[in-house]
Structure formats: structure tokens, C-alpha cells
Amino acid sequence: MHDATRLPRLRSLFGAGVLAALLLGSLAPLPAAAGDFPAQDTRYHNYAEMVADIMAVEAAHPDIVKILSIGKSYEGRDIWMARISDNAAVDQPEKPGILFDALHHAREHLSLEQALYTLHMLADGYATDPVVKAVVDGREIFIIFAVNPDGAEYDLRCTGSSHPPYCAWRKNRQPNGGSRYSGTDINRNYGYHWACCGGSSGNPASITYHGRSAFSTPEAQVVRDFVNSRVINGRQQITAHVTFHTNGQLVLWPYGYTKADVPYDMTVADHRAFVAMGKAMAARNGYRAEQSSDLYITDGDEIDWLYGVHRIFSFTWELYPPETATVWGDFYPPDRVIATQTARNRAALLYLLDVGGCPWRAIGLTKTNCGPLYDDLEINRGWQVNPDGNDTATSGGWELAKPQGYTYDGVPMQLGTTVSGSKDFVTGALYKGSPNANDLDGGQTTIRSAPVTVWAAPGDLTFYFYLAHGASSSRRDAFRAFVENASGVRTQVFAQIWSAKVFPARWTQARIPMTPWAGQTVRLVFTATDGGPDSLLEAGLDDIRIERP
Ligand code: 0X9
Ligand code: ZN
């Protein structure tokens, strides 16, 4: 029973031993009768009914809805996704991507109904509702309807259950070799701080079993591979996401693995945007907004991975009903509530579809953070070190890392603090015991960005940098910025050259007009050079932007 404490909201449910055994997965597999909802719940969709519904929507709106299988579940069911946009036949990765998914947890059938509602809201409303049309035209919207189809089907054929035909199944249907208990909690199987923090179980009998390794479930792999495939030119296309679960009427933001509000792997700006968006959605659907870990600690859950690895503004919605003591009913609200309890989320969905295109809009940072480039350097968005293969630096070259600060004769040479988050580009991140041990030596180190398309009426290029050096530095030492055009021609747009004295590290913002590259696809190039004689030299770079005009 100790595992039930991982889900405090469910604890009241586990008074009865029989029910606890059911929920812990000890039911032997039953003959696979065609799973269907009982007479009082026929408006819920089982797998076949879901497939029929989404195919019918595609047939009715082929211009804006494309149905795709993105992979298969453990038992071989297709995991279906809708791609919705103004020309759905064609992939449009240049538009912000908004992702929804549902049914990680088998018994949370209302979550699938919310996904189907979202599909219908967009497809059926496109022709008549200008708000719907605007988000469909301006976004590429992805809906993964059932991450765990095997579990959901299994949940409908537990005729031995004390609440037939449901068995309150949660996990997937993957056997656990050596154990009589089946199933992994897919929402503990994602590979970010997996199994780190007591927010999951290593016991296959547990309803929160995290699997034998991160991404050991085919279903989490399918979501992972799809999201990874949306990294295009180094940039994650998907900007915002909601995973539908039940229940509790909550809007939850990351992280689940830690109680810290802004840990090392979240920026202050991102946290502020999460809170603002979370509250804005909750104001629209009457839910409560809070950090995931305020509810309870989880590790390996989907939204921690989506934000931690991909910096997607990712939320969990716990749908109807609110938390109550009668927990059995909480997973199986009667089908008459489906229409109202999914429609109540309309305004919150439309908010996410709109503001989720640039989440920092929620905190008024549209101009700085919503241009064609905003890179806080917390993850690698396609930067190459030594892109030409002719760098001459012998040590202390550019690294995207958490920097170790140090001073020389009391003067800061390398900053241990960044402009945002915990990482920057820095020449040799580690101190290695003495000032000259890991500074830039021997020549030039170069980094080059992924391609970025400058707008026709462009805003400025801005970045924060420093170049610090000791007294023996020479005028051959420098930090430089270049813009490289599509033909590979580089134009120097900024240089900080040596000055004839000790120079301290201090974050300084540079600002460069981008009008010469209006409408062009360019790359940014930054170099730091120790031109000799050997001297103490360090450079840093953070928060690179091409702003809105
Ligand atoms: O435990 C879960 O996976 C989610 N709740 S549910 O009742 N649908 O199982 C919550 C996931 C969000 N993360 C945290 N609350 N830490
Ligand atoms: Zn759930």
C-alpha cells in the first residue's frame, strides 16, 4: 500500500483491500471480450469509436484535418494524431506548434472526450468562428488522442471487477518480466529526472511503476519520437502543450520532480510565463492553477520532459470532477456530463492556442522574446562549435555549459552567473584550479547558430557578452559577432577588442540592426580569439535574440 501515498488524492479510495488489489493491478487478464462502455455511459468512446469519429472528422474537413498514426502501443494499436492547420495536407513547421494529448492513464476516459472535443471545436468551428479560424490558420495543432489505448480497452473488459465493466486500470499493458503484475505508468516513464525523487515506484505491482528504464514503454517512446521529430533546424517547433488527465479540476505547470519554483533547469522568465498562463487558463475554466509538485511529487512525467528537454510550455490539466472522497466515481462520471465538462474548457483551450504561440506574451515580453530568435542557451538549439573545422584555439574553447566563476587579483575573469537560467556559452566552463588552467589559449574558437529567417521588417539582434583579460593581453585578443548569409558570406557586425589594461568580466548587451538581412535566412557566428602572446582571456555569451521590430 505504500505506493498509494504517491497519489494522496486517491488515498481515501484504498480503504477497501479488494479495490486496492484491483488498482494495484493484481487482476488476472480476462478474456478479451469486445470492450465497450455500459448502457449508462455509451456516449464515451472506446478505441474503435474514437477511430471512427476522428476519421469522420477528417473526411468532413480534409482541408484542415489530417489523421496520422505516429506509432503503435505495446499491443500494436495505432496511436492516432490529428494535424490541424489551414492546409493540413502539408506540414507547416514554420508555424508555432501546439500539442494536446490524452489518455496516458487508462481509466481517465473523460480525457479522450476532451481531446475529441478539441478536434471538433476546431474542425467544426473553422468555417463560422473567426477566433477558431485565426488559431487554425496561424498554428499547426497536434492532438494525440489516446497515448494508452491498450490500457483504456482493458479497462472496459474487467468483468471480474466489483464495478463492472470498469477495472480502474491506470498503466499500460506491458508485461513485467519476472513479475505477475503487468503495466507501467506511462506518466512516470519519461526520460527527464526519471525515477529521481520518490515520485514513482520501482515495484511492478505499483500503480505508479516507472518501468525498468526511462522510455521503456512503447507509448512514451511514441510521444518522445514525435516531439523529437519537431526539432527543425535546431529549434523545437512546438511551443505549448496540454496533457489531459482526470481528475481534480487543476491546471498544473512543471516541475513535478521538485518543490522548488525556479530550480536550475527553469528560467525566471519561463516560470513567470507558466504562472501567468496557468492562471489565465484557470480563470477561464474555473480550475485551480498550481505547480505540479504542489499536488504531489512525480518524476518521469510527461510535462517535466517536454519542458526540461524541449522547453515546451507544457501543462497538465486534471479535468472534472473536483477532488472528492468518492473517488471511484471520480474516474467514471456519467456520460451526461461529457458535453458540459469538455465545453467548459473552450475558452481556456483557445487561450492556449493563441498565447501558446509565444508564451512570453503572457508576461508582456512579446517584443524581446517573440521575434524569430530567442535563445536563452539553456538547451542546445542547433549551435555548432568549430563549424568550419579550422579553429586554432588549443584549449578553453566555447562550451554551452554551467560556468564556474573565478577572479584574478580580485577582478572577475569568468562569471559564474548567467543572464538567465544556469547555462551560457563560455570559453572553458570549468575553473580547473587556477586562472590560467582553462582560459582560452592558442587562437580562435567559433560557434555558429542554426539558420534563422529574419523578418521582412526586422527588429534588432541583441545578445549579452563579456570579454575579460589580464594585463598581458594584446590587441590581437577579441570577441566578435558576424551574420552569415545563405551563401555563407560572413559580415562582422560587432567586435570588442582588447584594451590596454586588466579588463573585468561584466555582462554587457550589444544591439545590432538587422535591416541588411531583411527577409533572409542567416546564421549567427561568434568568435573569441586569444591572438597571443599567451594571456589570461575569457569570454561569455548569453540570451541571444532577434527581436520584433
Ligand atoms: O499522477 C499523475 O500522473 C497525474 N495525476 S493523475 O491523477 N491523472 O494520475 C499528475 C501529473 C502531474 N504531475 C504532478 N502532479 N506532480
Ligand atoms: Zn492521469
Side-chain angles (χ1 to χ4, degrees):
M1 278 308 297
H2 66 284
D3 296 305
T5 61
R6 305 292 177 228
L7 300 167
R9 294 175 306 128
L10 306 179
R11 202 159 22 194
S12 53
L13 171 63
F14 292 116
V18 172
L19 194 47
L22 289 176
L23 291 157
L24 288 167
S26 62
L27 255 195
L30 292 158
D36 206 353
F37 283 89
Q40 71 274 17
D41 282 336
T42 53
R43 275 174 281 196
Y44 280 97
H45 293 75
N46 68 12
Y47 183 76
E49 291 160 348
M50 171 201 82
V51 173
D53 187 38
I54 64 180
M55 298 299 176
V57 173
E58 181 189 46
H61 305 278
D63 44 340
I64 57 166
V65 177
K66 175 91 185 144
I67 303 291
L68 306 150
S69 170
I70 57 167
K72 288 194 188 291
S73 65
Y74 177 78
E75 291 179 341
R77 290 184 178 85
D78 280 307
I79 295 179
W80 291 107
M81 184 185 79
R83 180 172 73 205
I84 305 158
S85 68
D86 60 359
N87 185 9
V90 176
D91 189 15
Q92 301 185 67
E94 65 283 359
K95 293 182 176 176
I98 310 287
L99 174 65
F100 299 96
D101 66 59
L103 218 52
H104 272 76
H105 291 141
R107 61 194 172 188
E108 299 173 10
H109 299 283
L110 186 64
S111 71
L112 168 59
E113 304 305 318
Q114 188 69 62
L116 294 172
Y117 171 87
T118 307
L119 172 69
H120 280 278
M121 174 184 86
L122 297 170
D124 303 343
Y126 185 73
T128 51
D129 185 329
V131 177
V132 168
K133 184 172 189 311
V135 295
V136 171
D137 289 348
R139 307 277 178 264
E140 195 165 42
I141 302 159
F142 306 106
I143 305 174
I144 304 171
F145 296 95
V147 173
N148 183 12
D150 301 349
E153 287 290 285
Y154 178 68
D155 193 49
L156 300 180
R157 41 177 159 83
C158 287
T159 49
S161 158
S162 57
H163 288 72
Y166 303 119
C167 68
W169 190 254
R170 172 179 168 95
K171 299 186 284 183
N172 75 352
R173 292 298 300 157
Q174 195 171 9
N176 295 309
S179 168
R180 67 194 178 93
Y181 297 100
S182 288
T184 297
D185 184 346
I186 301 165
N187 208 32
R188 298 295 183 279
N189 191 235
Y190 286 81
Y192 192 69
H193 295 302
W194 177 80
C196 70
C197 302
S200 60
S201 172
N203 178 358
S206 167
I207 60 168
T208 59
Y209 176 51
H210 53 49
R212 87 187 106 70
S213 56
F215 292 116
S216 57
T217 61
E219 295 86 2
Q221 288 170 27
V222 166
V223 175
R224 174 196 65 190
D225 293 348
F226 172 67
V227 172
N228 286 348
S229 78
R230 302 317 294 172
V231 177
I232 295 145
N233 280 332
R235 241 184 138 191
Q236 173 55 252
Q237 175 210 7
I238 299 168
T239 52
H241 161 260
V242 177
T243 182
F244 301 128
H245 285 252
T246 73
N247 66 294
Q249 299 189 175
L250 300 164
V251 172
L252 306 172
W253 64 78
Y255 283 108
Y257 85 88
T258 174
K259 294 265 179 202
D261 291 355
V262 190
Y264 77 94
D265 46 359
M266 179 175 285
T267 64
V268 173
D270 288 3
H271 180 256
R272 288 180 52 222
F274 268 123
V275 174
M277 287 180 73
K279 287 183 172 167
M281 292 189 286
R284 284 163 175 77
N285 61 10
Y287 291 4
R288 190 174 83 237
E290 63 189 18
Q291 186 170 330
S292 303
S293 56
D294 291 348
L295 192 60
Y296 47 79
I297 294 279
T298 52
D299 40 50
D301 92 356
E302 183 195 24
I303 72 168
D304 279 15
W305 184 79
L306 285 169
Y307 177 73
V309 173
H310 286 280
R311 299 286 149 159
I312 293 168
F313 283 79
S314 182
F315 294 86
T316 301
W317 285 8
E318 297 282 357
L319 307 177
Y320 176 89
E323 300 172 63
T324 66
T326 59
V327 180
W328 178 271
D330 287 359
F331 288 118
Y332 301 103
D335 72 356
R336 68 184 132 76
V337 310
I338 293 172
T340 47
Q341 293 303 328
T342 55
R344 78 181 278 178
N345 288 315
R346 180 187 177 87
L349 290 166
L350 289 169
Y351 173 89
L352 186 96
L353 284 160
D354 178 21
V355 176
C358 175
W360 300 283
R361 201 170 112 199
I363 52 170
L365 296 181
T366 308
K367 180 177 159 57
T368 52
N369 292 9
C370 301
L373 179 70
Y374 167 47
D375 196 340
D376 58 18
L377 296 179
E378 295 307 298
I379 56 171
N380 190 338
R381 296 176 173 91
W383 291 88
Q384 295 168 274
V385 179
N386 192 10
D388 314 309
N390 60 9
D391 276 357
T392 47
T394 50
S395 67
W398 288 121
E399 287 173 357
L400 183 56
K402 179 173 163 35
Q404 222 171 23
Y406 72 87
T407 60
Y408 180 66
D409 276 352
V411 179
M413 282 290 132
Q414 179 157 296
L415 297 177
T417 52
T418 61
V419 179
S420 68
S422 57
K423 292 183 184 171
D424 60 2
F425 260 119
V426 58
T427 51
L430 296 179
Y431 175 54
K432 295 193 177 170
S434 71
N436 273 298
N438 196 27
D439 72 321
L440 179 63
D441 281 329
Q444 181 174 301
T445 179
T446 309
I447 46 174
R448 186 175 71 164
S449 75
V452 47
T453 300
V454 181
W455 293 0
D460 292 342
L461 165 66
T462 71
F463 54 83
Y464 287 84
F465 81 102
Y466 64 83
L467 177 75
H469 56 75
S472 60
S473 181
S474 83
R475 62 171 51 81
R476 290 189 292 273
D477 297 345
F479 166 92
R480 293 186 175 89
F482 305 81
V483 177
E484 179 184 299
N485 71 13
S487 325
V489 176
R490 287 180 194 166
T491 304
Q492 183 175 310
V493 293
F494 182 84
Q496 164 99 11
I497 314 282
W498 156 94
S499 62
K501 55 181 166 46
V502 175
F503 202 81
R506 183 175 1 114
W507 286 117
T508 306
Q509 193 178 30
R511 180 173 289 277
I512 295 119
M514 287 298 284
T515 34
W517 293 275
Q520 297 186 38
T521 296
V522 303
R523 295 174 190 260
L524 304 177
V525 176
F526 296 92
T527 63
T529 311
D530 185 351
D534 182 25
S535 64
L536 183 54
L537 191 75
E538 298 283 9
L541 176 66
D542 205 359
D543 282 25
I544 304 161
R545 298 174 165 91
I546 299 176
E547 297 183 345
R548 289 200 180 194

